[in-house]
Amino acid sequence: FMFGVAFTQASTEYFIDAVCNNQPCQDHRAEIERMLLHDFFGSIETAILTLFKSLTGGLSWADVFKQLEDIGIFWSIFFLLFVAFCYLAVLTIVTGTVCTTAMESAHD
């Protein structure tokens, strides 16, 4: 959830700064909604869905990475760290479970 909030906030700031030029964004709403970055991180719900899809293969993480490059290198690297952390955490849990099960089977 927190990652979704962070990416949505970064995208919103990008829209305000780069697209709206610090002016009210109502005049630029159609332009913002046509951007792929808006499709990925236009709301917290879509951001969470984008992150979930990136982790489960429903969406290429490289496509999301390319969109985040427009915001800045920090957000691109932050996204890569998010993906790496989640993959490593899942791999560690799965490996630990398999090893524990194998050790218990060997004792029986």
Side-chain angles (χ1 to χ4, degrees):
F1 176 77
M2 294 307 294
F3 286 100
V5 170
F7 286 116
T8 302
Q9 181 64 35
S11 299
T12 302
E13 289 177 10
Y14 172 77
F15 296 141
I16 291 170
D17 293 342
V19 179
C20 302
N21 298 318
N22 293 320
Q23 300 294 322
C25 286
Q26 294 302 327
D27 300 337
H28 303 279
R29 186 179 181 105
E31 180 183 352
I32 291 171
E33 288 178 352
R34 283 192 304 268
M35 298 176 73
L36 191 56
L37 182 63
H38 181 270
D39 292 341
F40 290 157
F41 299 107
S43 68
I44 294 173
E45 295 85 7
T46 58
I48 292 170
L49 183 61
T50 298
L51 296 174
F52 178 75
K53 285 179 168 181
S54 297
L55 292 174
T56 58
L59 179 65
S60 172
W61 63 264
D63 294 338
V64 178
F65 180 83
K66 287 178 192 173
Q67 295 303 310
L68 288 172
E69 282 182 318
D70 291 341
I71 296 176
I73 192 68
F74 171 80
W75 292 105
S76 301
I77 292 173
F78 189 61
F79 176 72
L80 288 180
L81 291 174
F82 166 77
V83 171
F85 171 77
C86 289
Y87 277 137
L88 292 175
V90 168
L91 286 174
T92 301
I93 291 169
V94 169
T95 302
T97 303
V98 169
C99 289
T100 301
T101 304
M103 299 267 298
E104 289 173 356
S105 296
H107 282 291
D108 293 340

